């Protein structure tokens, strides 16, 4: 059996990234032996974090610290990991980069550095390289040659949305060979069938939007009050679904406490990987999500889903998935204004979500078949 070596984001900090990688493995494992390595050699013990839920502080981004971190990581790669990765790549038939990556040069820029290093090793060992289902952010001009060099080393380069491809085309017309396929997490419902339960809950997924957006858009007191009103008006209970375990968990616990102070019962469930998905989403009637992949998982099960538009990648991905239902899936109010939520929920209930999702599932499978099985 041929071997695939896959580089993905599987540290455990963000279950959405882990699930992308697991979906890819399940798509390929029938015909290939798949080994997965975390692309930035990171490891985060999410289960221990849940068991010891102390306040989580995100390190402040500082230019000098970022420069030092970049040099330290490069040194660690050269001294500790490069030789091992070179050997593993030499033993593989195909090398994949993909599964949660946003190709960027933000902060320490380690993601782009590692993608470039892997592509160099593939050229050295004359191995087939496929980059798939990645997003691309706006790259600094000094890195345009890097991403072009990487692309020219690939047998296939696939991005998950139109805007990612547009950013690449703005660098060079050579990127016209890049293809687009939707996020593979949409296939999760084919792999883990939802358990038969009554859909009696509003699913809630939260993150620290104020820190991410650098604006005061989120107020947990207002959010708790709005969720309480939504529960009352819809007759649905509330369920927090955690899919990332850094600061998100802290915000979720604060929200849960505020809801309890309002006399609202709320359940909570943690998703660590693909095997947790079906039970987490099986009783959800409406999903309100901050994390993009928490929302894409619910869309996979054709659950009416609203995702707060906190980053251009949310808009890019939803435009590609939702088509003419795009505006009904984008949540404009970070605090889940009940009028906006109920209006869009009612529209989505009458949309043909299974048909929308099935079309995108076909596009994903078509890309995988053409790339790995033709």
């Amino acid at each position: 059996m041929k071997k695939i070596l896959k580089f993905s984001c599987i540290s455990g900090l963000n279950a959405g990234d882990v699930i992308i990688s697991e979906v890819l493995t399940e798509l390929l494992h029938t015909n290939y032996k798949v080994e997965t390595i975390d692309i930035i050699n990171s490891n985060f013990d999410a289960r221990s974090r849940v068991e010891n839920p102390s306040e989580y502080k995100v390190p402040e981004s500082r230019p000098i610290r970022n420069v030092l971190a970049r040099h330290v990581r490069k040194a660690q790669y050269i001294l500790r990991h490069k030789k091992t990765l070179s050997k593993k790549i030499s033993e593989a038939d195909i090398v994949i980069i993909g599964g949660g990556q946003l190709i960027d040069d933000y902060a320490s820029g380690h993601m782009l550095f590692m993608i470039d290093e892997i592509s160099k090793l593939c050229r050295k060992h004359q191995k087939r390289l496929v980059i798939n289902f990645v997003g691309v952010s706006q790259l600094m001009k000094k890195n345009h040659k890097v991403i072009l060099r990487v692309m020219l080393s690939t047998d296939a380069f696939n991005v998950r949305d139109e805007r990612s491809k547009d950013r690449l085309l703005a660098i060079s017309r050579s990127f016209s060979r890049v293809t687009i396929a939707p996020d593979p997490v949409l296939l999760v419902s084919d792999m883990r069938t939802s358990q038969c339960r009554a859909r009696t809950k509003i699913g809630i997924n939260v993150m620290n939007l104020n820190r991410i957006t650098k604006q005061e858009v989120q107020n947990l007191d207002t959010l708790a009050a709005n969720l309480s009103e939504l529960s009352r008006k819809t007759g649905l209970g509330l369920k927090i679904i955690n899919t990332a375990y850094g600061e998100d968990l802290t915000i979720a616990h604060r929200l849960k406490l505020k809801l309890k102070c309002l006399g609202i019962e709320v359940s909570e469930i943690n998703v660590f990987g693909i095997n947790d998905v079906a039970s987490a989403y099986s009783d959800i009637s409406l999903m309100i999500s901050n994390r993009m992949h928490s929302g894409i998982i619910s869309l996979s099960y054709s659950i009416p889903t609203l995702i707060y538009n906190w980053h251009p990648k949310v808009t890019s991905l939803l435009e590609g998935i939702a088509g003419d239902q795009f505006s009904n899936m984008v949540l404009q109010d970070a605090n889940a204004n009940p009028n906006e939520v109920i209006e869009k929920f009612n529209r989505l209930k009458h949309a043909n979500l299974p048909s929308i999702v099935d079309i995108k599932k076909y596009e994903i499978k078509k890309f995988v078949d053409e790339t790995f099985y033709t």
Side-chain angles (χ1 to χ4, degrees):
M1 182 177 285
K2 289 187 175 182
K3 180 178 179 181
I4 286 179
L5 183 64
K6 176 160 59 71
F7 291 90
S8 302
C9 295
I10 55 167
S11 70
L13 178 62
N14 188 330
D17 294 341
V18 173
I19 293 167
I20 295 174
S21 181
E22 290 176 324
V23 167
L24 286 173
T25 297
E26 295 207 11
L27 284 170
L28 297 168
H29 83 281
T30 302
N31 288 62
Y32 296 94
K33 179 181 178 182
V34 182
E35 179 183 357
T36 305
I37 297 174
D38 187 80
I39 191 166
I40 56 173
N41 196 46
S42 179
N43 184 37
F44 185 90
D45 191 345
R47 295 181 188 275
S48 294
R49 163 84 174 109
V50 168
E51 292 169 3
N52 302 284
S54 57
E55 292 280 314
Y56 183 90
K57 300 293 183 183
V58 176
E60 186 178 346
S61 180
R62 295 176 180 174
I64 294 176
R65 177 187 290 170
N66 292 339
V67 171
L68 289 174
R70 180 168 63 248
H71 289 299
V72 168
R73 285 175 169 176
K74 286 182 178 179
Q76 287 177 332
Y77 164 74
I78 292 167
L79 295 173
R80 297 182 184 178
H81 308 301
K82 185 174 182 177
K83 186 176 180 180
T84 301
L85 290 188
S86 181
K87 185 175 186 299
K88 285 183 175 291
I89 288 171
S90 72
E91 295 170 347
D93 295 289
I94 303 174
V95 176
I96 293 176
I97 297 173
Q101 282 93 325
L102 180 66
I103 298 178
D104 64 12
D105 46 23
Y106 172 73
S108 65
H110 197 59
M111 181 65 73
L112 183 58
F113 168 77
M114 283 305 303
I115 290 171
D116 189 28
E117 287 297 307
I118 292 165
S119 71
K120 289 176 182 176
L121 291 174
C122 288
R123 287 198 302 272
K124 174 185 175 182
H125 295 293
Q126 298 183 318
K127 297 297 179 178
R128 187 180 174 201
L129 173 63
V130 175
I131 295 179
N132 52 202
F133 305 113
V134 297
V136 180
S137 68
Q138 199 73 44
L139 299 174
M140 290 184 283
K141 190 171 183 179
K142 68 178 184 178
N143 287 321
H144 288 185
K145 288 184 179 179
V146 178
I147 192 62
L148 182 59
R149 179 172 66 234
V150 168
M151 187 274 293
L152 293 173
S153 300
T154 64
D155 288 85
F157 194 126
N158 167 268
V159 294
R160 63 194 182 190
D161 59 84
E162 289 278 358
R163 293 191 187 187
S164 290
K165 183 168 182 176
D166 289 344
R167 292 187 183 106
L168 292 173
L169 287 171
I171 295 172
S172 170
R173 297 307 300 177
S174 298
F175 285 102
S176 59
R177 64 182 281 254
V178 170
T179 58
I180 301 170
D183 195 294
V185 167
L186 282 170
L187 293 175
V188 73
S189 58
D190 292 350
M191 298 173 177
R192 299 295 184 275
T193 305
S194 179
Q195 300 169 6
C196 295
R197 291 187 195 172
R199 296 193 176 274
T200 58
K201 301 285 180 67
I202 298 173
I204 307 149
N205 173 266
V206 290
M207 58 195 288
N208 189 344
L209 293 173
N210 293 343
R211 185 183 63 78
I212 295 292
T213 64
K214 297 181 172 58
Q215 300 178 52
E216 293 297 315
V217 297
Q218 184 183 60
N219 182 297
L220 292 183
D221 289 308
T222 304
L223 178 58
N226 286 345
L227 290 172
S228 174
E229 185 177 344
L230 279 169
S231 178
R232 179 179 59 80
K233 286 185 174 181
T234 61
L236 298 169
L238 300 178
K239 181 179 185 179
I240 294 173
I241 301 177
N242 297 315
T243 59
Y245 297 95
E247 199 174 18
D248 291 28
L249 197 65
T250 300
I251 299 298
H253 289 171
R254 289 178 187 171
L255 176 62
K256 188 175 183 179
L257 183 61
K258 290 181 182 296
L259 286 165
K260 285 189 173 181
C261 287
L262 293 174
I264 305 297
E265 285 298 317
V266 56
S267 58
E268 183 178 10
I269 192 165
N270 301 309
V271 173
F272 299 107
I274 194 170
N275 290 328
D276 303 315
V277 166
S279 60
Y281 287 82
S282 60
D283 57 354
I284 301 301
S285 180
L286 164 67
M287 186 69 197
I288 299 172
S289 184
N290 291 170
R291 285 282 170 191
M292 184 174 65
H293 282 104
S294 178
I296 293 175
I297 291 168
S298 64
L299 281 175
S300 176
Y301 290 100
S302 299
I303 298 167
T305 299
L306 304 178
I307 305 177
Y308 179 68
N309 188 18
W310 59 271
H311 190 279
K313 68 180 180 181
V314 175
T315 304
S316 299
L317 274 167
L318 279 183
E319 282 178 339
I321 294 170
D324 60 5
Q325 291 298 322
F326 163 72
S327 61
N328 292 326
M329 293 183 187
V330 176
L331 185 64
Q332 300 295 342
D333 181 14
N335 298 309
N337 177 279
N339 292 331
E340 179 189 1
V341 171
I342 290 173
E343 180 182 354
K344 291 181 175 179
F345 180 34
N346 287 333
R347 289 177 186 168
L348 289 172
K349 281 194 296 185
H350 294 97
N352 191 350
L353 290 181
S355 177
I356 292 170
V357 172
D358 283 347
I359 290 169
K360 297 306 169 182
K361 286 180 177 180
Y362 170 79
E363 292 175 10
I364 298 164
K365 292 174 182 177
K366 183 173 182 286
F367 167 77
V368 172
D369 287 344
E370 291 176 350
T371 305
F372 298 101
Y373 292 110
T374 300

